[in-house]
Amino acid sequence: QVQLVESGGGLVQAGGSLRLSCAASGLIFSRYNMGWFRQAPGKEREFVAAITWNNDSTYYVDSVKGRFTISRDNAKNTVYLQMNSLKPEDTAVYYCAADRGQVATSAVWYDFWGQGTQVTVSS
């Protein structure tokens, strides 16, 4: 049974930082590309960042480039999202997801999802 468990969310002031973690189990983690998505109230789920299975490449939505960094530790079956210079518009539930195929920015290509962690940025 595949499980993706996010942690590290919370309430932070604008300009602050948070580090999200996503621990994976029940799958061969090193064979999956990993992504982070977010969903704000009343909005569709949005791609945030992705990283290839071998750490070779990373991808970001324009709105987080230079502020967020995705990374992974295949030995720990964990993917991270370091979020700096947070803005109120970053407020959302953040989800990690696993993709067995080619790395993707669309949610439809992801095979497994976590339950999400809330990030709230106050102004």
Side-chain angles (χ1 to χ4, degrees):
Q1 177 182 353
V2 175
Q3 282 193 314
L4 301 177
V5 180
E6 301 96 337
S7 61
L11 173 64
V12 64
Q13 288 189 335
S17 298
L18 284 174
R19 188 194 196 202
L20 305 184
S21 299
C22 172
S25 61
L27 76 171
I28 303 175
F29 182 74
S30 61
R31 294 183 182 179
Y32 283 78
N33 303 309
M34 298 298 295
W36 285 97
F37 289 76
R38 65 186 179 187
Q39 189 166 17
K43 294 187 177 182
E44 293 188 353
R45 193 166 295 191
E46 173 191 32
F47 168 78
V48 176
I51 187 167
T52 52
W53 61 274
N54 59 356
N55 259 316
D56 188 48
S57 298
T58 58
Y59 305 85
Y60 299 92
V61 67
D62 285 347
S63 60
V64 308
K65 285 180 180 177
R67 300 189 297 122
F68 291 11
T69 303
I70 188 170
S71 62
R72 66 189 295 163
D73 185 337
N74 285 348
K76 295 183 178 180
N77 287 1
T78 301
V79 61
Y80 306 96
L81 186 67
Q82 178 66 45
M83 306 186 296
N84 299 329
S85 302
L86 282 160
K87 304 175 180 180
E89 51 264 44
D90 295 318
T91 296
V93 177
Y94 282 72
Y95 300 88
C96 72
D99 165 24
R100 183 65 180 90
Q102 291 188 338
V103 64
T105 59
S106 172
V108 299
W109 296 108
Y110 283 79
D111 303 297
F112 303 106
W113 291 84
Q115 82 291 346
T117 186
Q118 176 71 47
V119 171
T120 303
V121 184
S122 63
S123 56

